[in-house]
Amino acid sequence: MSTNIVANVTDRQTRIAIVEGDRLAELMVERGERVVGNVYKCRVENVVRGLDAAFVECGLEKNVFLHVSDAVPEEPSRSKMRRKMSAFPPIGKVVREGEEFLVQIVKGPLADKGARGTRRISLPGRYLVLMTDTSEKVGVSKKIEDDEERRRLRNIGREVCPEDFGIIVRTRAQGATREDLEDDVRFLTRLWQTIQGRAQQAKAPALIHEDLSLALEVLRDVFSAEVDEFIIDDKITYDKVLNLLHNIAPNLRDRVHLYREDEPIFTHYNIEPQIERALQPKVWLPHGGWINIEQTEALTTIDVNTGKFTGKSLEDTVLHTNLEAADEVANQLKLRDIGGIIVIDFIDMDKPQHRKRVTAALRQAFARDRMKTRIMHITRLGLVEMTRKRTSESLAETLQTTCPCCGGKGLILSAETVAASLDREIRRQVRETDARLFHVQAVPQVVMEFIGPFGEYVDNLEEDMTCEVYARADRSMNPEQFEITPLETRRQLGRICRQRAGHKVEIQPEDVLRVPEMGLVGCVDGLVVYAPEVSPDTEEPIKLRLTKVANSYARATPVGN
C-alpha cells in the first residue's frame, strides 16, 4: 500500500495529511502558535501544595502546570510512578515561588486548562532523542521488536551517548548506521549548548527554543523511505523541506514534489470529504456494522453495533463485527487524534476465546500508532478501557466549536417543548401584567406547534386569556428561544400585519415549512399560511390568494398564473 504525505500551507493554517492508499490515515493542523516541544525560561508563580504542583509563568496566555513528578530534576523510576504521591517529596521542597528555570511543554492547552510542562528537557532528532536530565542512560523504542536489532542499536547508543546525557533510540532508527546516530548526537548537543547560552542571557518569562513548524516536524518524525511522496503546495515550505533534507536525508529529496495545479490540493487527492466524515460520530464498518464515537472533555466512549450485518450465526455476526470494529477504532482514534481515557463497548461475547481474539486484534491495530497506548483486558460485558497519549487538541476540538444553540450538549429542546413554554409564558404575563396585546417571534417549527395544526391552540389561548397574540416566524433565531413583545397600541401592529384576506401572495419552495397529508404549510413575511388545496409535489413558486387571515395564521387557495 502506497503512503503519501500531502501538505496544504496557507497564511491562515497548515494542514498535513498522511494518506495510505486512498484513505486518510492522519490529519495534523497547525494554527497560530504551537507550544508543544518549546523550551521556556519560566518563573514559579505559585506553589499549590494541595495539588502537589506549581504554576509557572512562561509568557503564554495561561500559566503552565508543573506537577511534582515533572518538577524533580531526574526522571522517576517506574516503581516511583506506580507509587505516585508517596514516592515524591512535597512540591514545596522541589520548587520555590519566584524561582527561575527551564521548562519544556509536553502537553498543549486543552479547553480551559493551560499547558503542562516538565523540567526534564528532551530534544528529538531524526534517529534518537537526547535527554538532558539522565546520565548515560540508553533506551530503545519498544516498537522495534527484533531482538538482534535492539541489541545492535543499544550497543551503538552506548558508544555514541555523550557524557552526562541519556538517549532514546527511535523506531525509525532500524537499519541506521553508527554515523547516522553520531550525526544526530552532534546536532542535538550543539542545540542544547545554544539553549543554555540563550537561557543565561534571557530574563524570565521568555521563549528560549521553538520547536520545528508542523511541516518540518512531519519531515523529521514521519517522512522516511517507507513514504512514496511528500507533496507540498507552497513554494517556501517546499524549499525549506528540501534544504533540511539536504543535511539529514539527501537520498529522499527526489520524493518531495511541489504541487502546481489550480485545483486545491486536498480536493485533488479527495481529502476534504474524508475530513468531513472524520467529524461525524457514526462510522460504518465494511459489512454493515457501525461504531459511534462520543467525546467529552475527560472521556471518549465508542459503541459497537452490528447494524445491517448478518453472519452465519449470532456468534459469527458478533465476532466479525467486533474484529472489524477493533481495526476501525484504531484508525479513527489516530485520524481524529483522540487521547486520554477511552472506553470501547464491544458487543457481548460469551466465549472467552472470542474476547481474546478481539483484544489481540485491538492491540495489533494500535501497534501502528505513533502515540503511546495502554489497553486493558476486555470484560465479560464487552468493555475495554484504554488510554492514548494526548499532547494537543483532537481534530474535532481543532476544527469545530461549541454549538451556540445546544451549548455542546448535542441536543436541543423540541419545537413542541419550546411552544409549550411560550404558551405558559404568555399566560403568566397576562395574569401578572396589564398587557393584552403580544407580538411573538420564534423559529417556524415552534410557531407552527404554537398555533396548532389548524390554528386551534392559539385561538383557544386568546379566548381563555382574553388577549390577542400575533405570532410570526423568524428563521434566524435560536431554535430554543422565543421573543414576546407586549404592544401598547394597535398602531404598532401596522408593521406586523401586512396581509389581508383577498391579497395574493407567493410562497417560494424554500419557504415551505411542512407538507401535511393534503396541501402544504408555508411562510409569507413570517405569517404561517395553510393551503390545503395545493399539491405538495410542486417545486415552483406557489401563487395563493388569502381567504382568511387570523392574528397568527392564514388560510389560502391556489390562483392561476
Side-chain angles (χ1 to χ4, degrees):
M1 182 184 296
S2 64
T3 301
N4 296 323
I5 301 175
V6 182
N8 170 224
V9 182
T10 65
D11 293 338
R12 188 184 302 274
Q13 64 180 3
T14 296
R15 299 184 300 169
I16 297 184
I18 300 176
V19 182
E20 297 176 353
D22 295 327
R23 179 174 183 168
L24 178 62
E26 288 186 62
L27 179 70
M28 291 158 277
V29 181
E30 179 182 67
R31 290 176 179 168
E33 183 181 18
R34 298 178 75 239
V35 297
V36 175
N38 289 357
V39 178
Y40 296 86
K41 186 173 183 179
C42 72
R43 181 188 303 110
V44 179
E45 190 76 12
N46 57 327
V47 176
V48 185
R49 290 170 176 79
L51 298 177
D52 232 359
F55 288 90
V56 299
E57 185 182 1
C58 293
L60 302 176
E61 183 178 353
K62 294 184 178 179
N63 286 345
V64 173
F65 178 79
L66 184 69
H67 189 258
V68 65
S69 60
D70 296 310
V72 291
E74 289 193 7
E75 184 176 6
S77 64
R78 293 182 181 178
S79 60
K80 275 191 174 183
M81 291 304 294
R82 281 195 292 267
R83 285 184 286 144
K84 300 233 173 173
M85 301 299 294
S86 61
F88 299 101
I91 185 66
K93 293 186 178 181
V94 180
V95 299
R96 303 184 308 275
E97 290 187 8
E99 187 179 359
E100 297 182 0
F101 46 76
L102 292 179
V103 160
Q104 185 173 41
I105 306 300
V106 294
K107 183 183 291 186
L110 297 171
D112 295 329
K113 299 178 181 178
R116 180 166 182 163
T118 178
R119 293 182 69 176
R120 299 187 296 276
I121 313 299
S122 59
L123 303 175
R126 187 168 178 79
Y127 298 109
L128 55 82
V129 177
L130 183 71
M131 298 181 295
T132 64
D133 65 299
T134 304
S135 177
E136 298 182 8
K137 176 182 177 181
V138 177
V140 179
S141 169
K142 293 180 180 179
K143 293 188 177 182
I144 301 178
E145 298 178 351
D146 185 89
D147 291 337
E148 185 176 342
E149 179 68 0
R150 290 179 64 86
R151 282 194 296 271
R152 185 186 75 88
L153 292 172
R154 191 180 298 275
N155 290 335
I156 296 176
R158 291 192 180 111
E159 294 172 3
V160 303
C161 183
E163 189 177 353
D164 297 330
F165 288 92
I167 62 172
I168 297 176
V169 181
R170 306 184 69 179
T171 306
R172 71 181 312 150
Q174 294 182 82
T177 65
R178 178 191 174 99
E179 290 72 23
D180 292 332
L181 271 63
E182 285 179 335
D183 289 342
D184 256 16
V185 168
R186 279 194 294 270
F187 171 75
L188 294 175
T189 50
R190 286 199 302 268
L191 176 60
W192 176 238
Q193 292 169 0
T194 302
I195 290 173
Q196 289 182 306
R198 291 175 180 172
Q200 291 177 356
Q201 299 175 4
K203 183 178 180 181
L207 173 63
I208 303 300
H209 167 69
E210 187 173 11
D211 202 12
L212 297 176
S213 65
L214 179 60
L216 298 183
E217 179 188 329
V218 169
L219 177 68
R220 179 191 67 196
D221 297 343
V222 181
F223 190 47
S224 67
E226 297 176 355
V227 176
D228 296 276
E229 288 186 288
F230 192 165
I231 308 113
I232 308 169
D233 65 355
D234 177 66
K235 183 64 165 59
I236 296 176
T237 305
Y238 169 78
D239 290 337
K240 289 181 179 178
V241 167
L242 287 183
N243 289 337
L244 185 56
L245 278 177
H246 179 74
N247 296 322
I248 64 174
N251 58 310
L252 297 179
R253 294 179 86 240
D254 60 348
R255 302 191 184 198
V256 181
H257 304 290
L258 179 63
Y259 182 80
R260 300 177 182 273
E261 305 298 326
D262 292 333
E263 184 181 29
I265 189 170
F266 270 30
T267 302
H268 180 80
Y269 287 97
N270 195 37
I271 296 172
E272 293 290 7
Q274 296 188 66
I275 295 175
E276 293 178 8
R277 288 196 294 271
L279 298 174
Q280 301 301 318
K282 192 172 185 177
V283 181
W284 287 99
L285 300 175
H287 288 89
W290 51 273
I291 61 175
N292 195 75
I293 304 172
E294 294 292 340
Q295 288 181 249
T296 65
E297 183 175 342
L299 176 73
T300 297
T301 60
I302 302 175
D303 184 33
V304 182
N305 298 272
T306 55
K308 298 179 287 185
F309 177 50
T310 55
K312 298 177 182 178
S313 64
L314 178 59
E315 285 186 350
D316 178 75
T317 300
V318 169
L319 176 61
H320 282 81
T321 301
N322 283 340
L323 289 173
E324 289 182 352
D327 188 64
E328 190 60 42
V329 164
N331 291 334
Q332 292 297 322
L333 292 184
K334 183 167 66 170
L335 171 58
R336 301 171 187 232
D337 199 14
I338 294 175
I341 301 172
I342 300 154
V343 176
I344 309 168
D345 182 12
F346 287 104
I347 307 168
D348 294 352
M349 295 170 285
D350 294 329
K351 294 184 177 180
Q353 59 266 35
H354 286 183
R355 294 197 291 271
K356 289 181 180 179
R357 282 186 63 183
V358 171
T359 304
L362 187 65
R363 286 177 174 156
Q364 183 179 359
F366 275 103
R368 306 188 299 268
D369 196 342
R370 291 186 293 117
M371 289 296 178
K372 182 179 179 181
T373 58
R374 184 183 179 195
I375 301 173
M376 310 303 290
H377 292 288
I378 192 168
T379 69
R380 289 185 61 85
L381 295 177
L383 298 179
V384 171
E385 297 175 2
M386 65 168 290
T387 60
R388 184 174 185 269
K389 185 177 180 181
R390 176 170 61 179
T391 59
S392 58
E393 293 180 327
S394 68
L395 185 65
E397 291 168 327
T398 301
L399 300 184
Q400 297 178 310
T401 188
T402 303
C403 171
C405 296
C406 71
K409 300 191 301 292
L411 298 170
I412 61 172
L413 297 175
S414 67
E416 295 90 338
T417 302
V418 179
S421 298
L422 173 57
D423 184 285
R424 289 193 298 271
E425 179 60 21
I426 291 177
R427 292 175 185 271
R428 184 194 67 79
Q429 291 195 24
V430 170
R431 288 193 300 268
E432 298 179 3
T433 70
D434 295 331
R436 293 295 182 271
L437 196 61
F438 299 95
H439 175 214
V440 171
Q441 290 177 288
V443 295
Q445 292 77 12
V446 171
V447 171
M448 287 193 300
E449 293 296 336
F450 174 70
I451 66 177
F454 302 100
E456 65 273 25
Y457 294 162
V458 70
D459 289 345
N460 292 338
L461 171 64
E462 290 179 322
E463 183 178 350
D464 291 346
M465 305 306 295
T466 316
C467 66
E468 295 181 45
V469 179
Y470 294 83
R472 295 295 183 269
D474 184 349
R475 294 180 184 273
S476 66
M477 294 185 65
N478 185 316
E480 291 189 319
Q481 297 177 350
F482 52 79
E483 293 182 4
I484 301 175
T485 306
L487 303 178
E488 296 180 358
T489 65
R490 290 188 172 276
R491 183 175 300 176
Q492 295 174 278
L493 292 173
R495 57 185 177 83
I496 301 171
C497 303
R498 300 176 181 176
Q499 307 298 339
R500 297 286 186 272
H503 283 187
K504 292 182 180 180
V505 297
E506 185 174 87
I507 296 180
Q508 301 297 324
E510 61 269 20
D511 292 325
V512 175
L513 304 179
R514 182 177 59 193
V515 180
E517 293 183 2
M518 295 181 61
L520 55 80
V521 178
C523 194
V524 177
D525 292 332
L527 179 67
V528 173
V529 179
Y530 175 47
E533 301 172 13
V534 177
S535 171
D537 298 327
T538 179
E539 296 182 358
E540 301 295 328
I542 305 162
K543 293 184 178 180
L544 303 171
R545 176 179 284 106
L546 302 179
T547 58
K548 176 185 177 181
V549 178
N551 294 343
S552 295
Y553 64 92
R555 297 184 185 276
T557 58
V559 297
N561 292 329

